[in-house]
Amino acid sequence: MAYPGQPGYYQGGYGGAPGGPAFPGQAQDPLYGYFAAVAGQDGQIDADELQRCLTQSGIAGGYKPFNLETCRLMISMLDRDMSGTMGFNEFKELWAVLNGWRQHFMGFDNDRSGSVDRQELEKALTNMGFRLSPQAVAAIAKRYSTHGKITFDDYIACCVKLRALTESFRRRDAAQQGFVNFQYDDFIQCVMSI
Amino acid sequence: MAAMGQQYRPGAPDANFLWSVFQRVDKDRSGIISDMELQQALSNGTWTPFNPATVRSILSMFDRENKGGVNFNEFTGVWKYISDWQNVFRTYDRDNSGMIDKNELKQALTGFGYRLSEQFYDILIRKFDRQGRGQVAFDDFIQCCVVLQRLTDIFRRYDTDQDGWIQVSYEQYLSMVFSIV
């Protein structure tokens, strides 16, 4: 069963504390600086704060910052306790994933225009390990393109959503059979949680 | 609270009235009301622009020719649709706050026939509330209900034996859901 892998996972050497910010080594983690600047006492950030965090950290490189809906999707992609917020470890995980996706995007955006065309998106999705039929990929690419082009922000939104959906499916397919039985209420709640 | 600053008239509105509304909304006089024109004509009671996703949902429901907007005939359907939603919203906004809070949302969706968990209402509000006040405004309320309906419709399409269960592969799941959420 083919589930997408994670490209270019960042091999940080930082000690990861299981939860809050009260771990000595973490204060030196530059990522933690951005995070702590917006997180409150509870060490969690919401979509608004995530947007600020990501913008300040410059993860988007030269590209425009992420819109709020994309940030909300990012939180739900990693939000295992369904709290609607993200802790530092999840933020680090997100950072690594975003980095990988950005490298991918830059690989295709040869003229640094900040957007790629549909065929390039289709190629990128396949390269990221999403095993989808050509029709599915074409439909996804169509959904995210404006005048045949996909901007960096939309590209990330697409990847985030794909990954969130994949996670939600995988969580229910414990036996890894490649299919899931959904009862109606469960289906609605599962999908809406994304 | 009325869209387009008009009084709500019960029953079928007359064609002249609708035509005058149409003309006012169709600012560039193209004969088609676009997303932007409809968005500008609608109010969600919060002094912020009407949810563009809701505008798109509504127009796509009535635009029979995929032209990206509605002509006058199609607009009469849009007008009635929005009036109906105003009624529903008013019905469930029991404290007349102009927003629907979690309890009122529960009443509304239960009234429509959904049986959803307590935790799920928190998820719904978090997902659809664009004002960030823990309640849903008129436009976000419509979008929430429309998305729920779309998911229900697609579930039903797969539930051929109508037992409330479906079995889907990864790809089916993605293609079912990707365009809706």
Side-chain angles (χ1 to χ4, degrees), chain B residues 7-76:
Chain B
Q7 280 179 306
Y8 176 64
R9 295 154 194 238
D14 79 356
N16 285 325
F17 165 70
L18 282 179
W19 177 238
S20 70
V21 172
F22 184 86
Q23 284 184 302
R24 236 174 314 117
V25 176
D26 178 23
K27 291 216 182 98
D28 64 1
R29 302 190 156 264
S30 61
I32 307 283
I33 286 178
S34 65
D35 280 63
M36 188 151 59
E37 289 167 339
L38 185 61
Q39 186 192 33
Q40 284 170 356
L42 296 175
S43 160
N44 57 24
T46 69
W47 299 86
T48 63
F50 207 84
N51 187 345
T54 312
V55 172
R56 186 86 296 272
S57 295
I58 295 174
L59 286 180
S60 67
M61 268 178 233
F62 291 93
D63 174 10
R64 282 174 221 119
E65 301 147 352
N66 230 338
K67 51 192 174 311
V70 292
N71 58 32
F72 176 63
N73 275 329
E74 295 160 341
F75 176 70
T76 57

Side-chain angles (χ1 to χ4, degrees), chain A residues 56-168:
Chain A
Q56 275 157 23
S57 71
I59 181 70
Y63 299 123
K64 257 177 55 202
F66 303 110
N67 71 46
L68 202 52
E69 174 58 17
T70 307
C71 292
R72 199 199 52 78
L73 275 172
M74 288 177 191
I75 291 193
S76 88
M77 174 177 85
L78 296 169
D79 189 13
R80 294 183 188 101
D81 59 3
M82 307 261 233
S83 62
T85 57
M86 181 179 278
F88 180 61
N89 281 332
E90 289 156 334
F91 177 70
K92 264 185 29 176
E93 190 180 336
L94 174 66
W95 177 272
V97 168
L98 285 179
N99 237 329
W101 286 338
R102 183 177 55 128
Q103 309 283 7
H104 244 107
F105 187 86
M106 279 166 57
F108 287 101
D109 179 24
N110 299 313
D111 57 4
R112 288 282 176 281
S113 62
S115 66
V116 298
D117 63 36
R118 268 165 58 178
Q119 287 84 344
E120 289 163 342
L121 174 67
E122 292 174 19
K123 253 187 279 169
L125 291 178
T126 313
N127 285 343
M128 281 190 277
F130 288 104
R131 297 280 181 276
L132 301 166
S133 71
Q135 300 94 308
V137 174
I140 291 172
K142 182 164 178 217
R143 161 106 169 64
Y144 280 93
S145 51
T146 326
H147 307 302
K149 290 291 207 177
I150 294 115
T151 64
F152 178 62
D153 184 62
D154 284 335
Y155 167 82
I156 293 294
C158 174
C159 295
V160 171
K161 199 187 278 192
L162 262 177
R163 194 173 137 145
L165 284 172
T166 304
E167 290 286 306
S168 76

Side-chain angles (χ1 to χ4, degrees), chain A residues 72 82-84 130-133 140 144 161-162 165-166 168-169 178-185 187-194, chain B residues 114-117 119-120 123-124 126-128 144 147-148 151-152 155 164-171 173-174 176-179 181:
Chain A
R72 199 199 52 78
M82 307 261 233
S83 62
F130 288 104
R131 297 280 181 276
L132 301 166
S133 71
I140 291 172
Y144 280 93
K161 199 187 278 192
L162 262 177
L165 284 172
T166 304
S168 76
F169 186 89
F179 59 83
V180 168
N181 291 312
F182 279 107
Q183 192 259 347
Y184 171 70
D185 292 324
F187 174 74
I188 297 284
Q189 298 190 145
C190 172
V191 171
M192 282 299 212
S193 308
I194 290 168
Chain B
Y114 294 102
R115 297 282 170 267
L116 306 163
S117 74
Q119 188 198 33
F120 187 58
I123 292 173
L124 278 182
R126 196 157 54 222
K127 187 174 170 70
F128 290 99
C144 173
V147 171
L148 268 174
L151 287 174
T152 302
F155 184 93
W165 284 86
I166 59 173
Q167 184 182 84
V168 288
S169 69
Y170 172 61
E171 255 217 41
Y173 178 65
L174 281 191
M176 277 171 96
V177 160
F178 204 89
S179 52
V181 286

Side-chain angles (χ1 to χ4, degrees), chain A residues 8-19:
Chain A
Y9 208 97
Y10 177 63
Q11 299 297 322
Y14 309 115

